[in-house]
Amino acid sequence: FVCVKMHWDAAIDHADESDHLLQLDEYAVATVLNIRLSSGPTNPAFLPFRKAMLEKRMIRSHEWEEDAGPMGTRRRCVLRKRDVINLLYDKVTDVIDVDAMMQAKLLLSYFPLHSPAALKRLIRTWARVRYWTRLDQPIDEIQAYFGSQIALYFVFVGFLCQS
């Protein structure tokens, strides 16, 4: 059993070094970049992260729910948990050949830990039998927790169910 955790400063440094894509803040796009957005719904814009973007508040911040303690704490951060997991995986695989370790049977499996608070929220609002016939799905929440590929799957399945 191995537990690996990345410090915030290291995550920000690695995001800067690796051109990790982060979502631009809509307000910053309008004010800092002086780009006028339409009044209707817009598609998010992503750019390779640079530390200077933090100072100008150009990156969209996300609510981060800490699981430590009985009540948990919330804060805002430009990196989502899945961003940190991706950055950590990238950094670990620079040092350790995970595939070779699995082939040599030195490593059985690896996976990121779930956030109990976020999972409880998804279970309460979406992942129950009574919601199976529901056509409107919380795609943004699914994308924020599981990533774009899983969210796209549920968008596709929802589209199939409607047609």
Side-chain angles (χ1 to χ4, degrees):
F1 177 82
V2 176
C3 181
V4 181
K5 189 172 183 177
M6 183 178 267
H7 190 273
W8 281 105
D9 294 337
I12 293 291
D13 288 343
H14 188 55
D16 188 45
E17 295 166 4
S18 65
D19 291 335
H20 186 74
L21 296 178
L22 290 179
Q23 185 176 346
L24 289 175
D25 182 72
E26 290 178 6
Y27 179 76
V29 168
T31 57
V32 176
L33 300 177
N34 202 21
I35 298 174
R36 188 166 181 221
L37 299 174
S38 65
S39 59
T42 59
N43 291 326
F46 293 83
L47 280 180
F49 175 74
R50 293 290 173 261
K51 286 183 184 178
M53 294 173 159
L54 287 176
E55 296 166 10
K56 295 180 182 177
R57 300 182 186 258
M58 293 177 60
I59 302 296
R60 180 178 178 206
S61 65
H62 305 276
E63 190 169 279
W64 181 294
E65 193 166 313
E66 295 289 336
D67 297 324
M71 296 299 291
T73 58
R74 293 175 186 230
R75 63 180 167 149
R76 303 219 34 105
C77 183
V78 295
L79 296 173
R80 293 171 286 197
K81 283 191 178 185
R82 75 161 193 265
D83 291 321
V84 175
I85 289 168
N86 289 340
L87 290 164
L88 179 62
Y89 176 80
D90 186 42
K91 205 63 167 169
V92 166
T93 54
D94 286 349
V95 179
I96 300 171
D97 189 347
V98 175
D99 294 328
M101 287 183 70
M102 290 185 75
Q103 287 177 351
K105 297 188 180 181
L106 295 172
L107 180 67
L108 297 176
S109 64
Y110 60 96
F111 52 90
L113 295 177
H114 284 284
S115 165
L119 276 179
K120 282 182 186 176
R121 194 169 36 260
L122 277 172
I123 289 169
R124 188 175 56 250
T125 61
W126 173 64
R128 292 193 174 192
V129 174
R130 65 178 154 193
Y131 298 127
W132 283 2
T133 58
R134 190 175 144 185
L135 295 178
D136 63 319
Q137 300 180 54
I139 297 301
D140 290 336
E141 289 84 3
I142 295 168
Q143 190 266 341
Y145 188 78
F146 293 108
S148 298
Q149 292 175 330
I150 302 298
L152 180 61
Y153 168 80
F154 284 105
V155 167
F156 178 72
V157 169
F159 176 76
L160 284 178
C161 290
Q162 287 178 348
S163 34

